[in-house]
Structure formats: C-alpha cells, structure tokens
Amino acid sequence: MRIFIGYVSMSGNTEDIANILQDELLAKGCEVVLECLDTVDVEEITTYNGIVIGSYTWGDGDLPYEAEDFYEELDGLKLNSIPAACFGSGDHAYPKFCAAVDTFSEKLKSCGAAVYDQTLKVESSPETQEQELECRQFAQRFITWVKKVEENFHYV
C-alpha cells in the first residue's frame, strides 16, 4: 500500500510528527513517500492509496506561506474517494490551535477525498512518550481505516 505524507514545517515540529507517522506506516508494511509540500506536484498525490497532509498553523489560524501554493493547486483536483488525513503542530497560546489542520481537511473533502474523521494535533513538538504514542496510534488507526475504505470501495 502506497501512502503519501506531505508536510510543511518551520521549527521542525511538524516534520518530527511526519517522521513518526512515516516510521509507523513503514513498520506496518506500507510504502511511504515523505515530501515537503512546497516541492510536491499536486497531480502525483492521486496515484497513492492514502494521503496524509501536515501543517503548522501560522499567526491567527492561517496556512503557512509554504503551503499556500499546494493548497491552491488542490482546487479542481479530483481525489475520487482516496483516503486522506491531516495532522499538525500548534501552540495553545494562539486562539485557533492547529487551524491549518482543519483547513486542509476541508479542502481535501472538497476535492472528493474520503477524509478520516480524526485529526492529529500536537502541542509544539512530539517530545514526550505520550505524544509520540499518540502519533503512532494515529498512524495505526489511519492505516486500518484506509484498508476498510479500500475494501468497501472495491465491493460497492
């Protein structure tokens, strides 16, 4: 199963989460491509069994500038029920904690992806064992869900 993980990270926190997700998905036997969103050819993501998008939140709930082109290029893309999920890092000191995660979830839905109903939002960096476990469990639940979506899609 091929999974795409695309992310943007300024301080390295979202990249740390992406790496944990990648490690867990690789351990589950997935082929994983990990790439920064500012270098992604958006059409390529349609070739994967699952898509995972990660972003930190900038300012007062905004997408970071490194993610804006990718976000805009999603317009008009048909994701045809490809399973997708979103994650990110944030800071509870800001009024819209991890709002970019929700922004990307909504965009993927509007493109026709089957968006996982759970998101992963991590305060700062996944430094504690508890936070790392939360990331690993998110990856495990996501891949289980992707398999169910694929089974249902093939039999419908």
Side-chain angles (χ1 to χ4, degrees), residues 23 38 45 69 115 128 131 142 147:
D23 290 347
D38 57 357
I45 69 172
D69 287 345
V115 178
T128 68
Q131 288 173 314
F142 174 69
K147 290 175 183 175

Side-chain angles (χ1 to χ4, degrees), residues 40-106:
V40 172
D41 174 2
V42 74
E43 293 286 332
E44 287 288 315
I45 69 172
T46 63
T47 66
Y48 290 88
N49 302 94
I51 302 165
V52 185
I53 302 296
S55 179
Y56 66 95
T57 300
W58 182 251
D60 198 22
D62 300 320
L63 288 178
Y65 74 91
E66 308 96 320
E68 289 175 352
D69 287 345
F70 178 83
Y71 181 85
E72 290 170 9
E73 289 170 9
L74 286 170
D75 286 334
L77 191 67
K78 294 189 182 356
L79 294 177
N80 302 323
S81 299
I82 296 172
C86 296
F87 69 94
S89 61
D91 187 335
H92 275 101
Y94 290 91
K96 296 182 180 175
F97 177 70
C98 288
V101 174
D102 301 324
T103 300
F104 266 116
S105 281
E106 290 304 313

